[in-house]
Every structure is written in structure tokens, then in C-alpha cells.
Amino acid sequence: MAVDVSAIDPLLDRLNKLFAGTDKVREKLEVWTLLRDIAREHALGNLTDVETKMYVTEAAKRLSAVLASAGKPVSVEQLSNDLYADVVTLSTRTVAELRSDLMLRMRAKRAKARVRSELESLL
């Protein structure tokens, strides 16, 4: 039974569809890892939109060549646009995850400070 990953990770879902019927598993995972790293750097603010688009376009060129060698030619421009949309979506999710993590840390610090304050008041 196949697992639908489209809601969990649209980027991986797109790559699964692109690489369906090929034996290029390692290449797919390398591209997926690279694009996830680009999304994370974009989310952290280390890459601008222009830089992100440039890196995604370069990855799309390489991916298109890999797919063409596997007998599945794909337009570089269309692939680049689709992958960029997925990377931006993933970047937005990453920002939300970072914000959530920050809020959890702040709550934990406040709880520790409250406990410390209560202990000091007892002594």
C-alpha cells in the first residue's frame, strides 16, 4: 500500500511522481535533501528570494538532465517553477515550525523562572 505524502511534503510528492518508473533513488534523495536545505536557509533568512530561485533553477537543470538520462524528459523552466513553489511552501512551514519551537522554549523558561521565584519566596 502506497502512502500519500502530498499533504506531508509536497516536494517529496513531486519528486516521487517525477522519478516514478526509474531506478534513480539516490539521485532523488540527493535532490530532495538539497531542496529541503535551500528551503530551510530561505526560512532562516540566509537566502533571499532571488538567491533561492537561482539555486532552485540550478537544481532543476541537474534534475532535468538526470530525468532525461532515465528517459523522462522534463522542461527545465516548468520544473524550476514547480520546485520553487514547493520550496517556498516548505520554507513557510519551516518558519512556522521555528516560531512554534521558540514559543515552546519561552514557555519552558517562564515556567522555570516561576518555579525558581516560588522557591526563593519559600526560603
Side-chain angles (χ1 to χ4, degrees):
M1 183 169 110
V3 176
D4 181 24
V5 296
S6 60
I8 300 168
D9 191 341
L11 177 61
L12 183 58
D13 184 53
R14 183 174 312 280
L15 292 174
N16 282 339
K17 290 175 183 173
L18 287 169
F19 280 93
T22 68
D23 62 346
K24 306 280 185 184
V25 177
R26 191 186 91 208
E27 289 84 350
K28 175 180 74 172
L29 293 176
E30 286 175 356
V31 170
W32 179 61
T33 303
L34 172 68
L35 292 173
R36 283 187 64 87
D37 290 346
I38 291 170
R40 181 160 176 79
E41 291 300 314
H42 184 256
L44 293 171
N46 296 334
L47 292 177
T48 64
D49 289 339
V50 173
E51 291 171 324
T52 302
K53 180 74 172 170
M54 180 186 69
Y55 287 129
V56 169
T57 301
E58 286 300 315
K61 288 177 186 175
R62 291 182 182 173
L63 179 57
S64 179
V66 168
L67 290 170
S69 72
K72 297 182 87 172
V74 180
S75 163
V76 175
E77 186 176 322
Q78 182 62 39
L79 185 59
S80 176
N81 291 336
D82 293 344
L83 292 176
Y84 180 71
D86 290 340
V87 165
V88 169
T89 300
L90 195 57
S91 174
T92 304
R93 285 184 183 176
T94 303
V95 168
E97 290 169 2
L98 292 170
R99 189 176 298 129
S100 175
D101 186 46
L102 178 63
M103 293 304 293
L104 289 174
R105 284 191 221 166
M106 287 172 57
R107 284 185 196 145
K109 283 185 178 182
R110 286 182 188 150
K112 285 181 183 178
R114 187 172 41 247
V115 168
R116 188 179 315 120
S117 174
E118 290 173 1
L119 285 175
E120 288 174 356
S121 67
L122 291 174
L123 298 175

